[in-house]
Amino acid sequence: MTNKPSTLLLIMIAFSIFLNCKNTTVKENAISPLPSLKESFKNDFLIGAAISRSQINQTDSLSNALLEKEFNSITPENDMKWEQIHPKEDSFNFETADKYVALGEKNNMHIVGHTLLWHSQLAPWVQNIQDSATMASTIKAHINKIVGRYKGRINTWDVVNEALNEDGSPRESVFYKVMGGENYIEQAFMLAAKADPDAKLVYNDYNLWKPEKRKGVLRIVKNLQDKGIKIDGVGMQAHWSLEGPTLEDIENSIIAYSNAGVKVSFTELDVTVLPNPWDLDGAAVEQSYAQFENDPKMNPYPVKLTDAAQIQLAKRYEAIFKLFLKHKDKIERVTFWGVNDGHSWLNGWPINGRTNHPLLFDRNFEPKKAYNSVLDLKKQ
Ligand code: G3I
């Protein structure tokens, strides 16, 4: 007898090593990070990002790579607003918007149009209109032309943006004043529905967690429904902070809007980590904040976030997404207002020249602790 292992034994050992390796791979996959936001939440809601002109023009390759990996919906941060797309009565500027829609189609994304009627970033010639007939025909021409051009290609329209005051009363915008009431909202939704019957139509606004403002939204939704005018969703912009709003207020709004028969989207999510000038003694809302520019107290993380602040942001995002998942049946889309921290409008508002860190990716496109805390929710 020799001590050499038989061929059969060698085969069995090799097979068992193979099986072992296979099990390890399976186990490792189970604990390795999930692949992306859009994959992780694909059965829950869409994950979007607002994109700027450089991303639309694809001049920032890292940014576009991250966009394609992580997000399945896009919103144009500025390039479809009235002053951009319809700067003069008889002149439309579709160059960037066309590229925007093509980018979304190339990547199979849910494409949002932002926004048809908004008092801000409105072309000056519209602000000068003074009679209701001219305003009505202007709104009609604007919506027909733009919604018609992208018929079947833009999936969701923010039809009317920010038409309410904080107490839920109608904002006295130029549309409201010249048209003599909220009938311009009815017109806008009716026209958009006619121009593209398949597009989803949304009313979009900030601070929609506020109980008073919630009543205003419900009034608008009910009025449209009573008149048989299509409205599909409410967009809660979600420019939030580490401290507020409370989850309870957000939840009450999600439930109220859903009970009114429309879907909810979080359309402009970001969480500021910087001190708020409104909380400072003597700082009135109407005050100019130029006095705080270059004040180090107002810009505590000029280079990077401290670990403690990273953790605070991660906890806030975790709580927010836990709530979103609880109500995923009512929520259609969660869109971040920017791809990475460097892109955020919050670096310039309400105080110019600060360094904010409100999103899930830092300025080097690296995922932050907040990103992991959001993805971890899908591993539990
Ligand atoms: O296009 C001009 C450029 O020609 C000029 O050189 C430059 C100098 O300041 O300004 C450029 O315009 C800026 C524009 O963004 C495009 O970058 C405006 O000054 C600036 O005010 C404008 O800010 C945008 C803001 O809306 C205007 O209200 C932000 O980027 C955009 O993030 C923000 O988005 C809004 C949503 O549409 C609606 N909800 C609130 C949200 C945050 O304010």
Side-chain angles (χ1 to χ4, degrees):
M1 280 266 301
T2 138
N3 279 337
K4 271 194 188 160
S6 69
T7 312
L8 181 64
L9 188 58
L10 281 174
I11 291 172
M12 282 171 68
I13 290 169
F15 190 55
S16 117
I17 290 172
F18 167 70
L19 276 184
N20 235 344
C21 286
K22 226 178 144 206
N23 281 342
T24 314
T25 314
V26 168
K27 240 194 250 155
E28 271 171 10
N29 280 346
I31 56 163
S32 70
L34 286 164
S36 67
L37 291 167
K38 70 175 180 190
E39 271 300 307
S40 306
F41 291 95
K42 71 175 179 222
N43 296 323
D44 307 315
F45 32 71
L46 293 159
I47 299 283
I51 60 173
S52 65
R53 191 165 305 173
S54 66
Q55 290 151 338
I56 294 171
N57 287 334
Q58 303 186 56
T59 52
D60 177 355
S61 56
L62 285 177
S63 193
N64 281 80
L66 188 68
L67 179 72
E68 286 165 32
K69 174 176 182 284
E70 298 285 345
F71 301 92
N72 50 19
S73 174
I74 47 176
T75 302
E77 186 175 358
N78 286 300
D79 287 297
M80 293 188 94
K81 291 171 180 173
W82 197 313
E83 69 177 5
Q84 295 293 335
I85 206 164
H86 193 177
K88 299 207 176 91
E89 185 175 357
D90 50 2
S91 130
F92 288 84
N93 172 14
F94 288 122
E95 196 188 329
T96 309
D98 284 356
K99 284 190 196 158
Y100 163 76
V101 174
L103 177 73
E105 285 176 335
K106 186 183 100 192
N107 294 303
N108 233 342
M109 288 163 155
H110 181 98
I111 303 171
V112 180
H114 174 83
T115 170
L116 293 170
L117 291 197
W118 188 26
H119 64 277
S120 182
Q121 288 176 289
L122 184 60
W125 67 273
V126 184
Q127 279 157 8
N128 295 333
I129 296 174
Q130 283 174 9
D131 70 285
S132 61
T134 310
M135 185 60 94
S137 63
T138 300
I139 290 174
K140 187 172 180 185
H142 181 74
I143 292 180
N144 281 351
K145 183 85 169 186
I146 298 169
V147 178
R149 182 176 182 92
Y150 300 112
K151 182 173 182 216
R153 301 177 68 201
I154 288 209
N155 305 92
T156 295
W157 277 104
D158 288 341
V159 178
V160 175
N161 202 39
E162 302 175 8
L164 292 168
N165 293 320
E166 294 306 274
D167 64 359
S169 62
R171 180 193 288 273
E172 297 208 357
S173 67
V174 66
F175 303 115
Y176 180 89
K177 281 195 277 196
V178 176
M179 296 280 289
E182 280 183 317
N183 59 338
Y184 77 92
I185 301 180
E186 296 162 23
Q187 290 301 317
F189 276 87
M190 235 169 357
L191 288 162
K194 203 164 166 216
D196 188 351
D198 293 331
K200 290 189 172 157
L201 306 182
V202 167
Y203 172 73
N204 192 49
D205 209 334
Y206 58 85
N207 288 345
L208 293 196
W209 52 269
K210 283 190 175 174
E212 317 82 273
K213 213 162 174 180
R214 190 187 299 146
K215 282 190 197 139
V217 175
L218 295 173
R219 182 187 73 243
I220 289 175
V221 171
K222 190 164 182 323
N223 178 51
L224 293 175
Q225 291 169 336
D226 286 350
K227 294 185 170 148
I229 301 169
K230 174 174 132 117
I231 173 167
D232 300 291
V234 167
M236 298 177 68
Q237 291 187 4
H239 296 295
W240 295 337
S241 78
L242 290 172
E243 295 82 25
T246 66
L247 296 175
E248 192 189 355
D249 278 332
I250 301 168
E251 181 166 36
N252 286 340
S253 282
I254 298 173
I255 293 169
Y257 302 144
S258 175
N259 284 345
V262 289
K263 283 278 184 190
V264 175
S265 287
F266 292 89
T267 52
E268 305 184 13
L269 177 60
D270 46 32
V271 175
T272 181
V273 298
L274 297 185
N276 185 340
W278 287 282
D279 296 338
L280 296 180
D281 271 357
V285 176
E286 61 278 6
Q287 199 166 327
S288 151
Y289 298 119
Q291 59 176 310
F292 298 123
E293 280 173 29
N294 308 315
D295 177 348
K297 273 201 304 299
M298 299 308 286
N299 192 23
Y301 314 111
V303 181
K304 63 185 192 103
L305 269 184
T306 57
D307 282 350
Q310 288 276 18
I311 290 168
Q312 249 185 311
L313 183 69
K315 286 195 172 142
R316 178 73 166 143
Y317 264 114
E318 180 185 345
I320 289 169
F321 269 78
K322 219 178 200 166
L323 181 68
F324 290 171
L325 283 172
K326 178 175 172 193
H327 293 289
K328 62 184 183 183
D329 58 319
K330 309 172 187 65
I331 297 174
E332 194 153 70
R333 171 171 50 94
V334 176
T335 289
F336 293 86
W337 205 242
V339 174
N340 82 19
D341 286 340
H343 304 133
S344 172
W345 72 296
L346 291 171
N347 294 304
W349 189 90
I351 300 171
N352 233 330
R354 297 197 295 179
T355 309
N356 213 328
H357 308 262
L359 300 169
L360 300 188
F361 298 96
D362 70 17
R363 287 164 168 74
N364 298 318
F365 301 95
E366 293 296 335
K368 291 153 66 179
K369 277 197 169 65
Y371 173 86
N372 295 326
S373 74
V374 165
L375 283 196
D376 281 351
L377 290 169
K378 293 302 295 180
K379 293 190 208 155
Q380 289 159 9

